[in-house]
Amino acid sequence: MAAVALIDIALVPPGAGAEVVAEGKIFAVFNVDGRFYVLDGICPHAGGPLGKGALRDNIVTCPWHGWQFDVKTGQHCLNQRLCQTQYEARIEDGKVVVEID
């Protein structure tokens, strides 16, 4: 596992999300009431950019076709069999950091 700094926390205010490309992957970083969550940034439906989706409470809506996921768990809101890959986020030196393989 390798620690990867994704983005400065100041760039993702509460209620917002961001798309970040790092280590050859696309991540979706979300700030829900000051707590950060990171999902695989590619929607499983058609490859839409989850990090550019609208965040309401802890639900992100993919901007391409409206698929919705709980950013806290990665769980799809309608289909319990779909779960987006989630990365445990922590803050180090003012940046959102995740561990990747």
Side-chain angles (χ1 to χ4, degrees), residues 38-98:
V38 179
L39 299 178
D40 180 323
I42 300 174
C43 182
H45 173 241
L50 286 180
K52 294 181 179 181
L55 182 65
R56 183 173 179 151
D57 296 321
N58 57 308
I59 304 299
V60 64
T61 301
C62 181
W64 283 11
H65 300 107
W67 279 35
Q68 295 182 310
F69 297 87
D70 184 328
V71 301
K72 293 181 178 181
T73 64
Q75 187 65 54
H76 185 273
C77 291
L78 296 176
N79 186 340
Q80 294 302 307
R81 292 178 287 165
L82 289 176
C83 195
Q84 194 70 347
T85 300
Q86 177 184 30
Y87 299 89
E88 192 68 35
R90 67 179 186 272
I91 306 304
E92 286 183 9
D93 299 323
K95 298 191 181 302
V96 178
V97 176
V98 294

